[in-house]
Amino acid sequence: MLSKIEFDLLKSSQYCDKEPCECYNKTGAGNIKINSRSKGQVYCNRCGNRWVLTKGTMFFDLRTPMDKVIKVLLCLSRGMGLNNTCRQEKVTAGSALDWIVKAAEHSNEFTRYMQQEMHLEQVQIDEFWSFVLKKRKILQMKRESCLK
Ligand SMILES: [Zn+2]
């Protein structure tokens, strides 16, 4: 479940993606209303289109709170080892590796998120992606061994 801050943050950048809708692709048009806070769902009050706030993001279908995922990714990007990070944040290595892969799959969006919401400097963002790139092969191997 999303925290109130996460819910409101995600809601503020939503737009209706149903093509014939008069609010199609418009953010801040006042048409996005809450359908279910606990399920993270909103709807467009012009056309009735419903969706979950995390649709199309790296946070879609995660059971872990966004802030925890971000904290883990930050620890890893700052050079803390995988085992230490997992122990400190009480997450499994498999989960942490899944989040890295998801961040990489949504790299543009996650970069924007790091700039706007995490207020990271470009050099910190570069360090994060450099970490992901360097570890990609090792992570893939560890991930495969975690899944066996
Ligand atoms: Zn709509």
Side-chain angles (χ1 to χ4, degrees):
M1 186 174 147
L2 299 168
S3 71
K4 185 182 184 324
I5 293 169
E6 291 163 349
F7 188 97
D8 293 341
L9 176 69
L10 287 169
K11 184 176 171 278
S12 70
S13 63
Q14 297 293 307
Y15 55 87
C16 184
D17 66 351
K18 203 168 178 182
E19 187 104 39
C21 180
E22 64 184 276
C23 292
Y24 173 71
N25 260 354
K26 291 181 191 166
T27 54
N31 60 318
I32 308 299
K33 304 296 177 189
I34 297 170
N35 185 50
S36 165
R37 197 173 270 281
S38 64
K39 291 179 182 166
Q41 292 176 337
V42 293
Y43 69 97
C44 170
N45 70 357
R46 307 286 161 77
C47 71
N49 187 16
R50 288 171 203 273
W51 65 95
V52 292
L53 290 167
T54 54
K55 175 181 157 187
T57 75
M58 68 165 286
F59 301 105
F60 180 71
D61 218 18
L62 288 182
R63 281 162 290 173
T64 309
M66 275 173 68
D67 61 341
K68 183 155 211 149
V69 173
I70 300 233
K71 204 168 175 191
V72 166
L73 293 176
L74 270 179
C75 287
L76 292 168
S77 69
R78 289 176 178 153
M80 187 184 275
L82 183 64
N83 291 337
N84 283 343
T85 301
C86 291
R87 198 174 315 115
Q88 179 183 300
E89 298 302 323
K90 297 179 175 59
V91 299
T92 65
S95 293
L97 297 174
D98 281 345
W99 302 335
I100 292 169
V101 170
K102 282 186 182 231
E105 286 168 356
H106 295 269
S107 58
N108 290 339
E109 164 212 327
F110 193 64
T111 297
R112 202 169 45 250
Y113 188 85
M114 286 191 283
Q115 288 167 329
Q116 293 173 355
E117 308 307 330
M118 297 160 74
H119 307 291
L120 296 184
E121 300 294 327
Q122 190 58 48
V123 65
Q124 294 172 295
I125 294 168
D126 292 345
E127 280 172 15
F128 176 78
W129 290 121
S130 150
F131 164 81
V132 169
L133 287 175
K134 270 191 263 173
K135 303 286 186 190
R136 180 173 268 167
K137 200 167 187 175
I138 296 165
L139 290 170
Q140 193 57 41
M141 285 162 43
K142 279 190 180 178
R143 188 165 188 242
E144 284 164 6
S145 69
C146 285
L147 297 175
K148 282 178 189 166

